[in-house]
Amino acid sequence: MVGLTFALIWSCPTLAAMTEETKNFGLDMKITGQSEDDRDLGTQRGGDVNGLGLDLRPWVYGESGAWSAYAMGQAVTSTDIIETDTLQESEGTENTSNNDRQTKKNYLAMREFWVGYSGFTPYPGEILKLGRQRLHNDDGQWRDTNIEALNWTFDTTLLRANAGVAERFSEYRTDLKELSPKDKDRLHAYADAEYQWTPGHWAGIRGHHTHDDGKLDYPEPGVPSDSLDKKQNGDISWLGLQANSDAYNWRNTNTFNYWGSITGMSGDRDTVNPLNADGTAPAQPKSSGDVDGWATDLGVRLRLDPQWQVGAAYARASADYEQNGLESNRSNYTGTRSRVHRFGEAFRGEMNNMQSATLFGSWMLNDEYDASLIYHKFWRVDGNKPITSDGIDAVQNNTDDVTGAVLSSTSLPLNDGEKDLGQEMDLVVTKYFKQGLLPAALSQKIDEPSALVRFRGGVFKPGDAYGKEVDSYMHRAFIDVVWKF
């Protein structure tokens, strides 16, 4: 599929002509070392990660008048299944009966391929793109992923806006041949706008709607279930207000920065009912109901001098709130060029039945170094409902009384009534080298120098909600070496 996609793209005479005219192409090379221990909090044997990976990303970009086009491939080889991509979900290898979604050490992929048109208005920050592309907003809590989309962007001094539709049809990877169940037949429609009402201060509104009409997979007595079976669908909408002092722009020199957002969610969902305890089919194959929730994220950051900043942040999501599925939760909220996970590099919490308090300090030296030291404390909002975390995969094992063999495993249920999820310390340090070699039109969107070395790490200590049988600490750490040719 990857090779066919390349062939189709370059068979287009228009794109071939643009490429010949501008000759913009290159190669991004990334070497990643990962160390991870006790993602399962000690509830399973093995599961640790220690490996080294090479990630090569060839790209080509062309312009002709108001038209532009871009394509980026990817080739990854590694000694273990590691994360070379911060946009990649940390879901690990899924247990499936057909092996169609088994993450592998080596794979080929297409990250992006799109055609753009910027001739609707005279503003240089306006463009309509069609194809697989990076959708991104500043806080990373609404959109930050590569996905097939028709997306319009309008970016000027006083007004910024986005509108589009997106749906994931494939992972475009040689190892992940099937989509995750939550992505199957799920259409996203979104729009946002923000206005600079006074110099350096923005206020805006944003909305998102998901229409999920995928066919549900109902369990059958005597037939083993598959993790790729689709168990939920429905329609959900999000509407939010936000304001900030350009706080996610690491170049701003404000003495005081702030950000704040509040979001409401409402919709309906159908959920497949499981088999009865005796293995027979339930009387009703599915249950339906409304889903509602709200979430907020607040933060302040104070610049002590040109190099040092300190800040605090608070986030809360109601018990039934959930994010739209396109988020990464990574942003520049600490005030440096390095994007950091808002809810811990190790824990990687999500806005779902969770509140967090965060303290951080950051440092930048010219364009050569930056560092962030961050402390997080996490709680459940409702002590009797689950949470979602992209970084923890603790399980509860059902073992044979005689042999001790593991018969089955399910997600570890949190202790009823206990709200303390734990705490975490993160450290992110980066050394930058000479500035980027990308064309100006691309460098506006890909704000990285041509080379860097970065350490990202977090240590998480589970709280009472996880019980006393889990390990006392888990960690996840990366060293990235990036060079853009």
Side-chain angles (χ1 to χ4, degrees):
M1 175 178 291
V2 174
L4 177 60
T5 304
F6 270 121
L8 289 174
I9 289 176
W10 297 119
S11 67
C12 173
T14 303
L15 182 54
M18 288 189 290
T19 304
E20 181 66 24
E21 177 183 340
T22 59
K23 295 187 181 299
N24 289 326
F25 57 90
L27 175 69
D28 294 359
M29 181 181 74
K30 185 175 185 180
I31 300 172
T32 298
Q34 178 178 347
S35 172
E36 179 180 315
D37 185 39
D38 281 348
R39 174 190 178 92
D40 53 32
L41 301 182
T43 58
Q44 300 183 77
R45 293 182 179 179
D48 299 340
V49 176
N50 290 285
L52 191 67
L54 174 64
D55 186 336
L56 301 176
R57 303 176 186 180
W59 59 267
V60 63
Y61 175 77
E63 288 184 6
S64 180
W67 291 91
S68 60
Y70 178 71
M72 173 180 274
Q74 187 175 25
V76 175
T77 182
S78 58
T79 62
D80 201 346
I81 297 177
I82 67 173
E83 300 170 36
T84 64
D85 187 352
T86 55
L87 297 185
Q88 171 187 330
E89 285 192 6
S90 175
E91 59 187 358
T93 300
E94 296 191 34
N95 296 317
T96 69
S97 58
N98 53 25
N99 296 323
D100 280 344
R101 196 172 174 82
Q102 294 278 350
T103 306
K104 296 181 179 179
K105 299 177 184 178
N106 309 309
Y107 64 86
L108 300 175
M110 281 296 295
R111 290 178 60 82
E112 294 187 61
F113 47 89
W114 52 261
V115 175
Y117 179 72
S118 55
F120 292 112
T121 72
Y123 295 97
E126 179 265 329
I127 187 170
L128 177 72
K129 293 181 182 178
L130 174 63
R132 181 173 170 85
Q133 57 191 281
R134 169 85 176 274
L135 299 182
H136 174 255
N137 73 298
D138 287 342
D139 62 18
Q141 295 177 11
W142 287 66
R143 300 184 304 277
D144 191 17
T145 189
N146 294 323
I147 190 173
E148 302 90 314
L150 176 64
N151 179 77
W152 179 75
T153 297
F154 185 79
D155 189 352
T156 66
T157 303
L158 296 178
L159 179 65
R160 297 191 294 228
N162 295 275
V165 291
E167 182 173 349
R168 204 177 300 280
F169 296 102
S170 171
E171 298 285 4
Y172 300 95
R173 284 176 47 160
T174 55
D175 56 345
L176 303 182
K177 301 173 185 177
E178 286 287 337
L179 290 173
S180 171
K182 66 181 181 182
D183 285 328
K184 293 178 180 178
D185 300 305
R186 192 180 200 193
L187 177 69
H188 301 262
Y190 56 87
D192 59 71
E194 57 179 347
Y195 177 70
Q196 188 175 201
W197 58 277
T198 192
H201 297 268
W202 296 81
I205 185 171
R206 47 194 180 184
H208 194 109
H209 178 77
T210 59
H211 174 61
D212 188 346
D213 62 351
K215 181 181 178 181
L216 298 177
D217 297 308
Y218 297 98
E220 299 180 23
V223 178
S225 62
D226 191 313
S227 65
L228 296 187
D229 289 346
K230 191 171 183 67
K231 302 298 185 184
Q232 292 183 335
N233 63 16
D235 290 88
I236 304 178
S237 299
W238 293 260
L239 183 64
L241 301 174
Q242 63 90 19
N244 68 81
S245 60
D246 209 18
Y248 299 105
N249 177 8
W250 62 272
R251 290 188 177 92
N252 90 53
T253 57
N254 301 340
T255 300
F256 177 77
N257 278 291
Y258 67 87
W259 70 87
S261 66
I262 185 166
T263 304
M265 180 198 78
S266 181
D268 58 82
R269 172 180 290 134
D270 294 332
T271 303
V272 170
N273 290 326
L275 296 175
N276 297 323
D278 60 0
T280 59
Q284 298 295 328
K286 67 179 181 179
S287 56
S288 303
D290 296 332
V291 290
D292 299 282
W294 67 276
T296 187
D297 183 21
L298 309 169
V300 294
R301 192 173 69 242
L302 177 66
R303 187 180 301 276
L304 304 179
D305 62 28
Q307 296 180 9
W308 293 91
Q309 300 182 70
V310 294
Y314 174 78
R316 180 184 177 96
S318 64
D320 296 320
Y321 182 86
E322 61 186 60
Q323 295 179 267
N324 61 48
L326 300 185
E327 74 285 344
S328 73
N329 291 321
R330 290 189 172 275
S331 68
N332 304 89
Y333 72 92
T334 65
T336 71
R337 188 186 303 188
S338 300
R339 297 171 68 239
V340 182
H341 200 292
R342 179 65 181 82
F343 306 114
E345 292 289 336
F347 182 64
R348 298 184 183 180
E350 297 183 11
M351 301 281 269
N352 167 230
N353 192 31
M354 187 189 75
Q355 61 177 331
S356 69
T358 302
L359 298 173
F360 61 88
S362 63
W363 169 77
M364 280 199 304
L365 179 61
N366 302 322
D367 288 331
E368 296 182 36
Y369 298 93
D370 66 40
S372 298
L373 182 64
I374 309 141
Y375 170 78
H376 302 278
K377 178 67 177 177
F378 305 107
W379 301 268
R380 277 195 291 179
V381 172
D382 186 328
N384 295 304
K385 290 188 176 181
I387 61 153
T388 305
S389 167
D390 191 36
I392 303 296
D393 186 23
V395 301
Q396 179 173 273
N397 294 319
N398 176 27
T399 59
D400 186 281
D401 293 336
V402 177
T403 65
V406 176
L407 301 177
S408 63
S409 296
T410 57
S411 295
L412 179 71
L414 300 178
N415 287 349
D416 287 342
E418 296 287 354
K419 293 187 177 182
D420 180 14
L421 291 169
Q423 52 192 322
E424 176 169 335
M425 286 293 298
D426 289 344
L427 177 64
V428 179
V429 181
T430 308
K431 161 63 177 173
Y432 300 94
F433 298 93
K434 65 178 183 177
Q435 292 300 304
L437 304 175
L438 293 172
L442 275 185
S443 62
Q444 295 173 5
K445 301 298 182 183
I446 306 175
D447 191 13
E448 291 283 9
S450 61
L452 63 84
V453 178
R454 175 174 293 147
F455 171 83
R456 297 180 287 122
V459 178
F460 174 69
K461 178 176 172 52
D464 293 338
Y466 285 99
K468 298 180 180 179
E469 302 303 319
V470 300
D471 283 358
S472 55
Y473 292 95
M474 70 84 62
H475 81 266
R476 181 179 289 112
F478 299 85
I479 295 179
D480 296 319
V481 179
V482 176
W483 187 270
K484 298 177 184 292
F485 295 95

